[in-house]
């Protein structure tokens, strides 16, 4: 009996020591090493790819955000602030997303099929809205020129990028709203258009947050 108790005590002691060592190694040492290496090699990415403007953090280059007008009394659905470039739809008309305002906790999609009647109607309505919003005196948007990313959300609903085609479609409206020549606004789009990763992965894209920061600086200096 004593031998059995002694053996059990030894096994429990060994188990507790192993638990303590593994807790220290995997719960303290390893996280600190990984965090230290990340902060040393790529601190910007390790800290969430924060984007600054005017000396303060205004968002992340990895997460899209809405550019809406302040809600008025009794108003439930926000309206886009057409002074700025708009990202992909995050909710409402023309989306396949459950995310209504780029809310991180609601990342995801409804998984409606391409021939879903409700989704088709959303896309048609969204295309009409894009044409209306971006048609200004002297420049009318052709419905055939509205790209897919202007009327559908990404699978996560958090995509921070739009296609160069969608950015170009918004140029005349943004220029008109900010009192700028369209050519200068187009130059901003061209300067913020990223090519395919490694030259062949993905598609050309424009980061909306970074583009709007550049637009704000252009307007302020104009």
């Amino acid at each position: 009996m004593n031998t059995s108790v002694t053996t059990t005590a030894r096994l429990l002691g060994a188990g507790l020591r192993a638990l303590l060592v593994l807790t220290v190694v995997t719960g303290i040492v390893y996280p600190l090493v990984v965090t230290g290496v990340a902060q040393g090699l790529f601190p910007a990415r390790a800290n969430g790819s924060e984007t600054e403007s005017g000396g303060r953090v205004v968002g992340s280059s990895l997460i899209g955000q809405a550019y809406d007008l302040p809600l008025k009394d009794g108003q439930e659905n926000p309206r886009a602030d057409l002074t700025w470039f708009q990202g992909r739809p995050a909710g409402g008309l023309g989306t396949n997303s459950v995310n209504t305002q780029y809310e991180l906790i609601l990342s995801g999609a409804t998984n409606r099929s391409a021939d879903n009647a409700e989704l088709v109607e959303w896309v048609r309505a969204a295309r009409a809205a894009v044409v209306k919003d971006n048609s200004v005196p002297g420049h009318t948007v052709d419905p055939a020129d509205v790209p897919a990313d202007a009327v559908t959300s990404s699978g996560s609903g958090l995509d921070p990028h739009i296609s160069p085609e969608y950015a170009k479609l918004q140029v005349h409206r943004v220029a008109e709203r900010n009192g700028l020549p369209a050519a200068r606004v187009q130059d901003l789009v061209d300067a913020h258009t990223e090519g395919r990763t490694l030259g062949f992965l993905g598609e050309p894209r424009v980061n909306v947050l970074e583009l709007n920061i550049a637009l704000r600086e252009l307007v302020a200096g104009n």
Side-chain angles (χ1 to χ4, degrees):
M1 184 66 180
N2 291 337
T3 302
S4 177
V5 171
T6 302
T7 301
T8 301
R10 289 175 57 193
L11 291 175
L12 287 175
L16 289 174
R17 288 193 297 272
L19 175 62
L20 178 61
V21 171
L22 290 174
T23 299
V24 172
V25 172
T26 62
I28 300 176
V29 176
Y30 176 74
L32 288 176
V33 170
V34 171
T35 300
V37 171
Q39 290 292 337
L41 295 180
F42 33 81
R45 294 183 181 180
N47 292 321
S49 299
E50 295 175 340
T51 300
E52 295 186 359
S53 177
R56 65 187 182 92
V57 176
V58 295
S60 168
S61 63
L62 302 178
I63 304 294
Q65 57 182 272
Y67 297 89
D68 295 330
L69 294 169
L71 288 174
K72 298 181 180 179
D73 292 340
Q75 184 181 355
E76 295 183 359
N77 298 318
R79 297 183 59 186
D81 185 349
L82 300 180
T83 303
W84 307 103
F85 284 94
Q86 297 294 312
R88 299 186 67 169
L93 295 176
T95 84
N96 191 28
S97 176
V98 297
N99 195 345
T100 58
Q101 283 294 303
Y102 289 101
E103 297 175 8
L104 300 184
I105 197 171
L106 294 178
S107 174
T110 62
N111 294 322
R112 284 181 170 87
S113 63
D115 60 354
N116 178 273
E118 188 175 23
L119 178 61
V120 170
E121 183 57 32
W122 283 353
V123 169
R124 288 175 176 169
R127 182 173 62 182
V130 169
V131 170
K132 178 182 177 181
D133 288 344
N134 291 282
S135 293
V136 297
H139 177 78
T140 301
V141 175
D142 186 338
D145 292 334
V146 177
D149 63 307
V151 295
T152 58
S153 70
S154 61
S156 68
L158 300 173
D159 193 348
H161 298 97
I162 57 176
S163 66
E165 291 75 21
Y166 186 26
K168 181 180 179 180
L169 182 146
Q170 301 181 63
V171 163
H172 286 83
R173 183 255 298 163
V174 171
E176 191 267 342
R177 293 279 179 139
N178 289 282
L180 296 169
R184 293 190 69 184
V185 179
Q186 182 60 54
D187 288 342
L188 280 185
V189 172
D190 293 339
H192 287 81
T193 298
E194 305 172 36
R196 292 180 172 86
T197 304
L198 300 178
F200 67 93
L201 295 175
E203 295 294 331
R205 57 202 178 275
V206 179
N207 188 288
V208 181
L209 174 59
E210 295 174 357
L211 178 60
N212 278 332
I213 290 174
L215 173 63
R216 174 177 289 175
E217 293 173 352
L218 177 61
V219 171
N222 201 37

